Amino acid sequence: MKKKIIRFMVVGALCALFLVLGFWSWNNSRDVEYRDCLDKVIFTANGQEVQMKELAFYILYEEREVESQAMVYNPQNTKDYWNLHIDGVFMQVQAKDTILQMAIHDKLFYQKAVEEDMTLDADEEQLLRNVISDFWMDLLDEQMEKMPVSEEYIMEAMRQIALAEKYQAKLAEKEGKAYASYNWDGYEYGLWKEKQDVDINEKLWEKIVVGDITLDHGAPNYMNGHNKKEDE
């Protein structure tokens, strides 16, 4: 009798353990809503913590850029373009990487601009105002409705980007290199970045799904080269 009770208790304990492990695994693998983690640290740049909300501008910008291309590719269902698999990478994944890398690039250069007490002159201030105006004009209506942060926050982010670009121009001139070589995907920037201390919160970032943060999409008609309608 005791053996049966012990066996029952062991089996019960194992079942409980498997349930806990299963829930833990599910909870750690599921996607996270961007708006639910705005105050979470997504990366540190030279010791400075950068919160998820600081990526809002880049998300708005890149989702708009890709969606504009998607409207040309298939205006009836733009999700098809986001689901394209080109050179071994999904467009959605490529956009996500672009967002993060642009944010890292600008934060690093903005830090340097602050260290050197750089400011925008009158002409640069006017240029910034024009850029901000164009940005709001180009933004899609649904993005305005789904904006994850305030407009003021977005405009401050653009001001910081302007200072980052000013430092980028100064660095390129100092090193005798092309300005574009210090873009986020430029060769010289890649070499320069290796000397900086950047730590990405990969665990959090991999749970964020880009493409539907400031946009609304249904299911794609095409999945990995297969026509959904034909398969049905």
Side-chain angles (χ1 to χ4, degrees):
M1 187 67 176
K2 288 184 177 180
K3 289 184 178 180
K4 289 184 178 180
I5 294 175
I6 292 173
R7 188 181 307 120
F8 177 79
M9 292 176 65
V10 171
V11 171
L14 287 173
C15 288
L17 177 62
F18 288 141
L19 284 172
V20 171
L21 290 174
F23 176 79
W24 179 86
S25 177
W26 170 80
N27 191 53
N28 279 274
S29 62
R30 64 176 179 164
D31 297 332
V32 173
E33 287 290 333
Y34 176 73
R35 288 170 180 76
D36 293 338
C37 58
L38 294 178
D39 294 327
K40 298 289 186 182
V41 175
I42 186 57
F43 67 86
T44 58
N46 294 322
Q48 181 181 353
E49 293 185 342
V50 177
Q51 295 178 325
M52 188 71 82
K53 60 187 174 184
E54 296 182 59
L55 270 60
F57 165 79
Y58 302 95
I59 290 171
L60 284 163
Y61 175 83
E62 189 62 16
E63 286 196 340
R64 184 201 69 199
E65 289 294 295
V66 177
E67 187 71 1
S68 297
Q69 298 165 27
M71 289 176 182
V72 176
Y73 180 78
N74 185 358
Q76 280 71 47
N77 192 342
T78 56
K79 186 64 173 181
D80 285 348
Y81 186 78
W82 284 89
N83 197 58
L84 275 182
H85 198 245
I86 301 175
D87 296 330
V89 181
F90 284 104
M91 288 300 300
Q92 190 167 3
V93 174
Q94 181 176 309
K96 182 177 178 178
D97 183 61
T98 297
I99 288 168
L100 183 61
Q101 296 307 321
M102 284 195 302
I104 291 173
H105 168 277
D106 292 344
K107 178 58 66 175
L108 290 172
F109 279 0
Y110 174 69
Q111 287 177 338
K112 299 300 181 182
V114 171
E115 288 176 8
E116 297 194 10
D117 296 321
M118 297 180 74
T119 58
L120 301 178
D121 60 29
D123 290 339
E124 291 164 340
E125 286 284 359
Q126 182 58 54
L127 178 59
L128 174 60
R129 286 192 289 270
N130 294 340
V131 170
I132 289 175
S133 177
D134 289 343
F135 175 78
W136 293 127
M137 288 181 62
D138 292 341
L139 211 60
L140 302 174
D141 291 342
E142 62 184 303
Q143 288 188 291
M144 289 294 294
E145 296 172 2
K146 295 187 66 176
M147 193 164 358
V149 297
S150 68
E151 292 184 19
E152 291 74 18
Y153 198 90
I154 295 297
M155 289 189 287
E156 174 56 28
M158 296 179 74
R159 173 173 292 278
Q160 293 186 16
I161 292 170
L163 283 168
E165 291 175 343
K166 185 167 185 175
Y167 178 82
Q168 179 177 339
K170 179 179 179 180
L171 178 62
E173 182 179 6
K174 175 184 175 182
E175 299 297 329
K177 306 292 184 180
Y179 176 86
S181 68
Y182 282 98
N183 287 342
W184 71 268
D185 55 351
Y187 177 75
E188 295 298 334
Y189 166 71
L191 297 178
W192 181 87
K193 182 185 173 186
E194 291 178 356
K195 302 174 184 177
Q196 312 305 311
D197 182 17
V198 177
D199 183 28
I200 301 170
N201 186 347
E202 300 282 3
K203 187 176 181 181
L204 175 59
W205 187 237
E206 68 183 12
K207 295 181 181 181
I208 301 297
V209 178
V210 167
D212 294 300
I213 296 176
T214 67
L215 299 169
D216 287 313
H217 290 115
N221 289 327
Y222 296 91
M223 296 291 289
N224 300 325
H226 296 285
N227 188 317
K228 180 183 176 184
K229 294 181 180 179
E230 291 178 357
D231 291 344
E232 293 175 348

